[in-house]
Amino acid sequence: MPASKGYAALGAQSPLAPFAFSRREPGPTEIAIEILFCGVCHSDLHMARNEWGQATYPLVPGHEIVGRVTAAGSAVTKFQPGQVAAIGVIVDSCRHCAPCDRGEEHFCLEGATLTYANKDRVDGTTTMGGYSSNYVVDERFAHTVPANLDPAAVAPLLCAGITTYSPLRHWKVGPGMKVGIVGLGGLGHMGLKFAHSFGAHTVQITTSLGKKADALKLGADEVLLSTDAEAMKVHKGTFDFILDTASAPHALEPYLGLLKQDGTLTLVGLPEKPPTVSPFALIGRRLSIAGSMIGGMPETQEMLDYCGQHNIVSEVEVIPIQLINEAFERMLRQDVKYRFVIDMSTLK
Ligand code: NAP
Ligand code: ZN
Ligand code: ZN
């Protein structure tokens, strides 16, 4: 059993601390990777602190993983030792239901296996995430990484990237549309880059005046401060589509007010407390509220390849693992530009 080192939360109130465990040897269709970089998603914080009531401890977070293949099973076709590989939010699924057959493993009817704090389908253990030295995964749930991209800046694409790419594609965001992105954090800055790249008129909606210059640099055509009532009035009823990435509880009505008739507000942010919304905020212009979760394996690879072709990566602050608890606190203060990524060589 290969030994693994990582950082784990031992309870909802405890900071992350060094933790040793082991992983299985890779089976015939599996690869083992040495983790080089792992992004820090706000979901890691929600989970480590059990804000969704789904945590099990010890909990090793991390689902934005880029690593180097150290071993490949005999039947592996996509990877060879030495190659860079990436793993996202899910590491397995039933592999035979209709969504799995369509490559929508995230909608698996039997429930996909998450990268951490889930029951492993192969060996029955609890999955341990990417704030660790290595991972073992079936090649179906691993992705190739375009060689022209910086591996540290690729890591956040595995969750923040696909979680914004997928809904923007699904709702056909493109030229001629006015699109809003709520929240300039890890997900938000990727949503901004993709919406801009797809040719939409893209408005970054933020609570942080200090992020305005960055938003314009990252591709926003306009920046809208959601706390500025006058500015919100100017944009009222003008958006086709809004992607809401906010991590903290917030009212939806101000954003619904920005939508045109038949517009859609898609929620990807997962605050601890659910929103309440009056139907009156929807009926007058036949508005929709929708939700979206990461993406399937083929679409995740499509997104990575698109990023390779268009030179799109995350804006990252690379940190040693020893600073993870400070990074969590800074994320809560909206002080991240725009994704922390852990350099996993600092574990040694
Ligand atoms: P993050 O980097 O911390 O960014 C969140 C941003 O939300 C903040 O930077 C802030 O942007 C904005 N925000 C915070 N409080 C707000 C409030 N009260 N009202 C309006 N905006 C607020 O977090 P992240 O990693 O991007 O994750 C965002 C959320 O998505 C989390 O809840 C996470 O769990 C969830 N998530 C969902 C999926 C999925 O599949 N659906 C996948 C990954 C993550 P400004 O400073 O610009 O206002
Ligand atoms: Zn995530
Ligand atoms: Zn399935």
Side-chain angles (χ1 to χ4, degrees):
M1 296 279 272
S4 191
K5 277 200 283 195
Y7 264 55
L10 297 181
Q13 265 81 48
S14 60
L16 299 192
F19 176 70
F21 58 103
S22 62
R23 300 199 190 264
R24 65 173 173 275
E25 297 289 350
T29 60
E30 291 183 324
I31 57 170
I33 67 166
E34 175 198 5
I35 300 178
L36 302 173
F37 296 100
C38 186
V40 179
C41 180
H42 207 113
S43 301
D44 298 343
L45 189 160
H46 291 306
M47 280 294 285
R49 299 184 180 180
N50 201 18
E51 292 177 0
W52 299 330
Q54 298 172 8
T56 56
Y57 299 97
L59 185 144
V60 177
H63 57 210
E64 294 184 336
I65 300 169
V66 170
R68 195 172 294 287
V69 177
T70 52
S74 55
V76 167
T77 58
K78 237 170 34 180
F79 297 98
Q80 287 181 337
Q83 202 177 332
V84 175
I87 304 169
V89 178
I90 67 179
V91 290
D92 208 352
S93 67
C94 85
R95 309 185 199 184
H96 55 66
C97 70
C100 283
D101 281 347
R102 288 197 298 270
E104 295 185 317
E105 296 90 343
H106 53 316
F107 300 140
C108 176
L109 298 179
E110 295 180 18
T113 306
L114 302 179
T115 307
Y116 60 82
N118 245 206
K119 187 171 178 197
D120 191 301
R121 282 181 151 82
V122 177
D123 61 20
T125 61
T126 299
T127 54
M128 300 284 180
Y131 295 6
S132 64
S133 50
N134 55 2
Y135 210 98
V136 175
V137 68
D138 191 280
E139 67 167 339
R140 173 175 176 157
F141 296 88
H143 310 280
T144 58
V145 173
N148 59 315
L149 302 180
D150 169 14
V154 163
L157 300 179
L158 276 299
C159 177
I162 185 61
T163 301
T164 51
Y165 181 95
S166 182
L168 293 172
R169 283 300 197 209
H170 180 79
W171 277 277
K172 302 190 171 30
V173 162
M177 288 175 82
K178 181 171 173 181
V179 170
I181 306 291
V182 176
L184 190 59
L187 267 57
H189 90 292
M190 291 313 309
L192 170 56
K193 288 188 180 204
F194 286 132
H196 170 71
S197 176
F198 297 166
H201 181 88
T202 307
V203 182
Q204 180 63 51
I205 304 170
T206 180
T207 62
S208 306
L209 183 59
K211 294 180 183 174
K212 182 172 178 179
D214 281 351
L216 293 170
K217 249 189 276 165
L218 295 173
D221 295 292
E222 298 179 67
V223 178
L224 172 55
L225 193 63
S226 53
T227 51
D228 179 344
E230 278 309 305
M232 289 291 276
K233 231 187 257 170
V234 171
H235 285 268
K236 199 166 186 282
T238 63
F239 284 79
D240 297 284
F241 180 79
I242 297 177
L243 187 68
D244 182 347
T245 77
S247 53
H250 58 285
L252 299 185
E253 280 83 354
Y255 303 117
L256 290 167
L258 296 173
L259 289 171
K260 277 184 194 164
Q261 183 192 316
D262 294 318
T264 301
L265 172 68
T266 294
L267 309 177
V268 288
L270 300 167
E272 190 175 358
K273 290 194 194 75
T276 55
V277 65
S278 164
F280 285 104
L282 304 171
I283 60 173
R285 293 193 310 291
R286 198 165 49 195
L287 303 179
S288 302
I289 298 177
S292 188
M293 182 181 78
I294 47 170
M297 297 305 106
E299 194 176 37
T300 302
Q301 188 65 58
E302 174 193 310
M303 178 272 311
L304 286 166
D305 295 343
Y306 182 89
C307 288
Q309 282 149 19
H310 297 266
N311 250 307
I312 294 175
V313 285
S314 174
E315 306 297 309
V316 300
E317 178 177 340
V318 177
I319 56 165
I321 185 82
Q322 292 78 11
L323 289 187
I324 185 59
N325 294 302
E326 282 94 318
F328 272 12
E329 291 309 318
R330 281 183 56 195
M331 191 156 61
L332 279 177
R333 293 199 299 269
Q334 297 172 216
D335 174 25
V336 45
K337 289 183 170 140
Y338 281 88
R339 191 58 131 194
F340 292 113
V341 169
I342 306 165
D343 174 354
M344 217 47 75
S345 69
T346 58
L347 251 183
K348 289 174 184 151

